[in-house]
Amino acid sequence: MVSLNSDMGESFGIHTFGNDDALVPLVDTVNIACGFHAGDPVSIHESVKKNLAAGVTVGAHPGLPDLVGFGRREMKLFPDEAADIVRFQVGALVAFLKAEGGELDHIKTHGSLYGMTSRDPELALAVAEVAAEYSVPIFGIPNSEHEKAAAEVGVPFVAEFYVDLGYTAEGGLIVARRPHATPVDEAKKRANQALTEGLATAVTGEQFPIRVDSICVHSDTPNAVEIATVVREVLDELQLSIAK
C-alpha cells in the first residue's frame, strides 16, 4: 500500500511554519525536523506527541546545519561528517520518541542533504549506516544512490514521489529556495499518472518511469492541505479498486 507522508516540525522558537495540524489527519507518516535546518526541543516534542496521538508514524528528517538557509544550500562534507550530522539529529528525535512511548519509523534526509546523498555514493552510505544502527528504512529517490546505499547496508528502501515539486527529464527533483503553491489539479494528475501508469512528467515535457512507495506533500507548501486532501482521495480510491 502506498503511503502519504509529510515533512513537519519545521519551526523554530516562536516562529511557526507549515500546515502541520491540518495535515496530521490526512497523512500516514511524517518526517520531523531535528534541529539543524529547523526545529527546536519544544517543537520536536510537540510534533512527536501530536502525531503519535493520531496514530501517525514518525521518522527523522535531518538536514544540513544551516538555519538561515533552511538546509537548502549545499555544503562540502566528508562522509564521517555527514554520518555524525545525521546521527546527532536522529538521536535527538529518538529521545523524544522514547519519552512518549514511540519508536523511530524511518530516516529521510532534508533539502540539499537529500539531493547530495541521492548523487554521492559515499554520503549516501554514511546516512544508510545510521539507518542500519536503528534498523529503519530510508526514504529517498528510486534508482538513486539512496536506494543503492540502503541495499548495501541491508535496510529497507521507500521510494518517494513528489506531487508538489517539478522533475528534470533525468528524474531529478527541482527544489526552490522558497515554497510555492502547486495547482491542485496538477498534483492530482501527477499522483494518478505515477500510481496507475508508473510514469512522471518532467517540467520540459518528457516522461520517465517512476516507482512509488510513498507520496510526499510538503507542509510548507501554501496549499498543502488541499493537495494532501486530493492525494488522500486518489490513494483511497486506488486502494478501494484493488480491494474489489
Side-chain angles (χ1 to χ4, degrees):
M1 180 177 176
V2 176
S3 66
L4 177 58
N5 81 81
S6 185
D7 304 338
M8 291 191 183
E10 293 178 323
S11 302
F12 193 78
I14 63 172
H15 305 289
T16 58
F17 306 95
N19 297 275
D20 291 14
D21 289 347
L23 287 171
V24 170
L26 296 169
V27 300
D28 303 298
T29 191
V30 295
N31 325 295
I32 294 181
C34 307
F36 275 20
H37 74 278
D40 60 73
V42 173
S43 69
I44 294 171
H45 200 174
E46 289 178 348
S47 294
V48 166
K49 285 194 291 186
K50 67 186 172 186
N51 279 287
L52 291 181
V56 176
T57 57
V58 174
H61 196 40
L64 294 172
D66 180 19
L67 287 172
V68 173
F70 197 64
R72 289 178 175 164
R73 301 184 294 190
E74 290 199 1
M75 293 181 173
K76 294 293 185 181
L77 297 176
F78 293 113
D80 59 343
E81 288 180 303
D84 284 343
I85 284 171
V86 171
R87 187 175 286 116
F88 185 97
Q89 294 176 83
V90 173
L93 178 65
V94 168
F96 289 111
L97 282 166
K98 184 176 180 181
E100 296 299 327
E103 295 183 356
L104 182 69
D105 185 73
H106 62 272
I107 295 174
K108 171 188 168 180
T109 48
H110 162 82
S112 287
L113 186 57
Y114 188 88
M116 291 160 62
T117 52
S118 74
R119 301 185 301 269
D120 187 314
E122 292 187 338
L123 294 181
L125 185 59
V127 174
E129 287 172 346
V130 179
E133 293 168 9
Y134 288 95
S135 300
V136 295
I138 291 172
F139 278 42
I141 300 174
N143 303 314
S144 73
E145 296 301 330
H146 291 154
E147 185 167 9
K148 295 174 185 176
E152 185 169 343
V153 302
V155 298
F157 175 77
V158 177
E160 276 197 297
F161 179 65
Y162 292 82
V163 295
D164 55 6
L165 293 178
Y167 282 84
T168 66
E170 295 75 33
L173 286 169
I174 300 173
V175 181
R177 284 287 299 277
R178 294 181 181 274
H180 59 276
T182 297
V184 174
D185 288 346
E186 180 64 23
K188 183 176 182 178
K189 179 181 177 181
R190 289 172 178 174
N192 270 316
Q193 183 185 41
L195 293 168
T196 61
E197 301 176 42
L199 293 172
T201 301
V203 294
T204 46
E206 298 91 344
Q207 292 187 337
F208 58 91
I210 194 77
R211 192 172 81 256
V212 185
D213 298 320
S214 188
I215 293 178
C216 178
V217 175
H218 291 93
S219 178
D220 63 351
T221 299
N223 60 339
V225 178
E226 291 81 3
I227 293 173
T229 298
V230 76
V231 172
R232 180 83 271 163
E233 290 171 355
V234 170
L235 290 172
D236 290 347
E237 288 171 5
L238 182 61
Q239 187 64 23
L240 183 62
S241 66
I242 292 173
K244 291 180 179 178

